[in-house]
């Protein structure tokens, strides 16, 4: 069987499937090309960039509003940028004054968001960038690869894993380095991870410290097939993606993916055993722009009807299904029909099929089974232009093997 073997602390993540990535910082005030990378890409002088701190006063920020929006979208967790590569900390830290308590808002945004998540049963993962383009003692390894002192990073991660109650994940960014570089930096990723797991025993950690981590993180792309290790064992993974072309807020980036495309990405990712982390970059007011809100509502409407075919499912490679993708949960196989096959749909499957029905309204679908060929009698006209989900309820999962 193609069921992934995962440790108990990872089960919530594997079942959740869908999360909200939030990239927000003082760079949102500039709202232009490269967004969160702007300090580096525009080589802004540090004293110039520091002026943004006194301008950052997001009076429209409401953590509960963000959390409610994630729930409306059908998301189960939020990953928030506590500190991006510009080094600005969206939380109260004793390691630098370059933090949100020194803005007119005088707000620990991490504390606000963590509390809102705890109050709403939404898991919270904290993004932490291991590069730093601002720290006075940063070591420059070439290009954007600048690292602050290891003890600075370790101290902040201790704060993030100590001061806010339960934290469900740490999403490291850009920590990859050679052993020689690590030695030169006095860098020890294993030491960081050991401290984090001691402070937060059930936390999940991604693969961007340079060590394997609990899951891999394809960024802006979806693997062709389920992710497996060298022994062929299925591995956890999470594809992160933007709605337009920017992680941080860009007021003139109108290249927004339509709802249908975002839902197809979600189905594609989940059918291959992954999670989908969809990003928003809030405006400097703290509000999320309407184009993003509309899309999250649209995905949520689809998830309200079809969520059973996503949450808690696993892959189903035994079924060859050229009209879309398959997911499976227990003895139910969910056929996501993205290309309408016309009235008759044939599927190779050995197992005894008990029932076939439309997920959205449980409408019975007539079928015939002769040996390994299941023929479904579908309506001639497509039922759902985005994705019609048909459920095959099997008698059992024995021999769930593709006939040929
Ligand atoms: C990283 C960030 O740089 C980006 O801003 C965003 O947070 C994304 C989710 O993660 O993406 C990268 C990481 C490394 C490189 C480029 C983009 N790199 O090494 O050139």
């Amino acid at each position: 069987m193609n069921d992934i073997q995962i440790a108990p602390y990872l089960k919530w993540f594997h079942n959740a499937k869908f999360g909200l990535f939030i990239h927000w910082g003082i760079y949102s005030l500039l709202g232009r090309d490269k967004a969160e990378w702007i300090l580096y890409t525009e080589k802004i002088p540090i004293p110039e960039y520091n002026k943004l701190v006194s301008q950052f006063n997001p009076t429209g920020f409401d953590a509960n509003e963000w959390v409610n929006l994630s729930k409306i979208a059908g998301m189960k967790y939020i990953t928030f940028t506590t500190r991006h590569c510009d080094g600005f900390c969206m939380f109260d830290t004793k390691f630098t004054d370059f933090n949100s308590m020194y803005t007119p808002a005088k707000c620990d945004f991490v504390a606000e968001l963590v509390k809102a998540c705890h109050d709403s049963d939404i898991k919270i993962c904290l993004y932490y960038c291991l590069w730093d383009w601002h720290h006075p003692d940063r070591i420059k390894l070439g290009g954007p690869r600048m690292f602050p002192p290891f003890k600075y990073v370790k101290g902040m991660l201790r704060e993030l894993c100590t001061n806010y109650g339960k934290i469900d994940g740490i999403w490291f960014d850009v920590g990859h380095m050679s052993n020689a570089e690590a030695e030169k930096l006095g860098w020890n990723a294993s030491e960081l991870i050991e401290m984090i797991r001691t402070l937060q025993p059930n936390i999940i950690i991604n693969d961007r410290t340079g060590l394997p981590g609990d899951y891999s993180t394809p960024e802006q792309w979806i693997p062709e097939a389920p992710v497996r290790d060298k022994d062929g064992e299925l591995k956890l993974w999470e594809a992160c993606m933007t709605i337009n072309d920017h992680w941080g807020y860009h007021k003139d980036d109108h290249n927004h993916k339509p709802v249908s495309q975002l839902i197809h990405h979600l189905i594609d990712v989940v059918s291959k055993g992954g999670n989908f982390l969809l990003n928003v970059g809030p405006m400097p007011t703290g509000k999320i722009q309407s184009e993003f809100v509309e899309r999250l509502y649209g995905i949520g409407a689809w998830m309200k009807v079809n969520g059973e075919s996503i949450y808690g499912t696993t892959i189903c490679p035994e079924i060859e299904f050229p009209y879309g993708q398959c997911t499976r949960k227990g003895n139910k196989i969910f056929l996501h029909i993205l290309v309408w096959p016309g009235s008759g749909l044939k599927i190779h499957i050995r197992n005894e099929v008990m029932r076939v029905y439309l997920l959205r309204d449980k409408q019975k679908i007539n079928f015939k089974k002769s040996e390994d060929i299941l023929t479904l009698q579908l309506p001639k006209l497509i039922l759902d232009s985005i994705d019609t989900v048909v459920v095959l309820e099997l008698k059992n999962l024995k021999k769930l093997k593709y006939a040929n």
Side-chain angles (χ1 to χ4, degrees):
M1 184 55 66
N2 276 285
D3 279 341
I4 190 169
Q5 307 306 317
I6 50 175
Y9 74 98
L10 291 167
K11 283 196 187 306
W12 76 262
F13 180 69
H14 185 52
N15 289 332
K17 302 301 179 190
F18 190 29
L20 181 66
F21 212 168
I22 302 177
H23 275 71
W24 195 44
I26 54 175
Y27 45 77
S28 63
L29 285 161
L30 302 176
R32 57 176 186 260
D33 196 28
K34 306 300 182 212
E36 74 285 353
W37 270 63
I38 201 162
L39 171 60
Y40 176 76
T41 54
E42 292 190 5
K43 295 183 172 44
I44 300 173
I46 296 289
E48 194 60 33
Y49 195 76
N50 289 346
K51 289 176 186 169
L52 295 176
V53 178
S54 61
Q55 298 166 29
F56 193 64
N57 190 15
T59 51
F61 169 71
D62 179 339
N64 289 305
E65 196 173 85
W66 287 6
V67 171
N68 292 337
L69 180 58
S70 73
K71 294 180 81 169
I72 287 166
M75 295 160 159
K76 299 294 185 185
Y77 62 102
I78 289 176
T79 301
F80 177 66
T81 51
T82 65
R83 190 183 77 103
H84 208 275
C85 309
D86 65 346
F88 186 74
C89 299
M90 297 293 274
F91 62 99
D92 185 5
T93 171
K94 65 175 188 297
F95 290 90
T96 176
D97 293 349
F98 194 50
N99 78 61
S100 54
M101 299 306 285
Y102 289 79
T103 68
K106 293 184 180 55
C107 177
D108 183 327
F109 297 108
V110 170
E112 297 284 314
L113 186 56
V114 169
K115 182 176 183 315
C117 288
H118 287 167
D119 292 351
S120 296
D121 198 22
I122 288 279
K123 300 286 190 185
I124 179 72
C125 299
L126 300 181
Y127 167 109
Y128 187 87
C129 188
L130 296 168
W131 287 351
D132 190 319
W133 301 324
H134 184 278
H135 194 286
D137 300 329
R138 62 193 179 279
I139 297 175
K140 301 175 183 177
L141 295 183
R145 301 178 69 240
M146 304 176 202
F147 290 84
F150 180 70
K151 63 182 185 313
Y152 176 84
V153 169
K154 187 175 179 183
M156 275 189 185
L157 283 162
R158 179 181 294 280
E159 289 179 321
L160 290 170
C161 292
T162 305
N163 299 345
Y164 301 103
K166 188 165 186 326
I167 301 299
D168 299 292
I170 296 286
W171 209 98
F172 280 110
D173 205 1
V174 287
H176 300 282
M177 65 182 76
S178 67
N179 292 337
E181 287 172 331
E183 205 168 316
K184 177 180 174 183
L185 287 166
W187 191 271
N188 185 331
S190 305
E191 187 181 318
L192 274 188
I193 289 173
E194 185 185 350
M195 174 194 72
I196 291 167
R197 292 202 190 279
T198 302
L199 293 168
Q200 297 278 347
N202 292 312
I203 203 163
I204 65 172
I205 300 174
N206 73 354
D207 65 342
R208 294 197 179 188
T209 59
L211 297 175
D214 293 313
Y215 62 99
S216 57
T217 53
E219 177 182 319
Q220 302 284 40
W221 65 280
I222 297 171
E224 281 301 309
V227 175
R228 296 176 186 271
D229 64 16
K230 59 185 181 350
D231 302 322
E233 288 300 315
L234 286 168
K235 301 303 287 177
L236 291 179
W237 58 280
E238 174 194 68
C240 56
M241 206 172 276
T242 52
I243 290 178
N244 52 13
D245 296 321
H246 282 78
W247 299 101
Y249 175 59
H250 184 332
K251 66 186 184 316
D252 298 322
D253 180 350
H254 306 298
N255 188 29
H256 303 299
K257 300 171 184 71
V259 170
S260 56
Q261 182 183 351
L262 295 169
I263 291 172
H264 289 163
H265 285 329
L266 172 64
I267 294 162
D268 189 18
V269 165
V270 172
S271 73
K272 294 166 180 171
N275 282 31
F276 189 45
L277 186 64
L278 184 60
N279 180 77
V280 295
M283 298 183 282
T285 58
K287 294 299 181 192
I288 294 171
Q289 66 195 80
S290 59
E291 297 90 343
F292 293 167
V293 173
E294 284 156 20
R295 282 156 179 79
L296 293 179
Y297 267 78
I299 299 168
W302 184 87
M303 286 292 270
K304 208 170 176 66
V305 174
N306 300 286
E308 185 188 348
S309 70
I310 298 291
Y311 301 124
T313 62
T314 184
I315 63 173
C316 191
E318 297 84 357
I319 304 293
E320 287 279 305
F321 184 59
Y323 299 101
Q325 257 106 4
C326 287
T327 53
R328 178 175 65 80
K329 187 160 38 185
N331 68 330
K332 288 181 182 175
I333 290 177
F334 301 96
L335 304 177
H336 296 268
I337 305 178
L338 307 178
V339 176
W340 200 247
S343 56
L345 170 57
K346 292 188 185 308
I347 292 173
H348 288 268
I349 182 166
R350 286 182 178 171
N351 303 65
E352 185 178 348
V353 178
M354 304 301 288
R355 290 174 58 210
V356 179
Y357 56 91
L358 290 177
L359 180 58
R360 69 177 189 181
D361 56 13
K362 309 298 181 272
Q363 180 191 329
K364 188 170 171 294
I365 300 278
N366 294 323
F367 66 93
K368 281 190 296 186
K369 183 88 170 6
S370 58
E371 293 183 7
D372 290 344
I373 303 288
L374 173 70
T375 304
L376 308 185
Q377 286 148 29
L378 295 172
K380 280 199 181 356
L381 295 179
I382 192 165
L383 293 166
D384 179 330
S385 59
I386 292 180
D387 169 31
T388 301
V389 184
V390 170
V391 186
L392 309 182
E393 214 165 287
L394 309 182
K395 184 169 186 178
N396 58 50
L397 288 174
K398 287 196 194 89
K399 300 181 299 179
L400 180 61
K401 195 160 170 44
Y402 178 38
N404 293 335

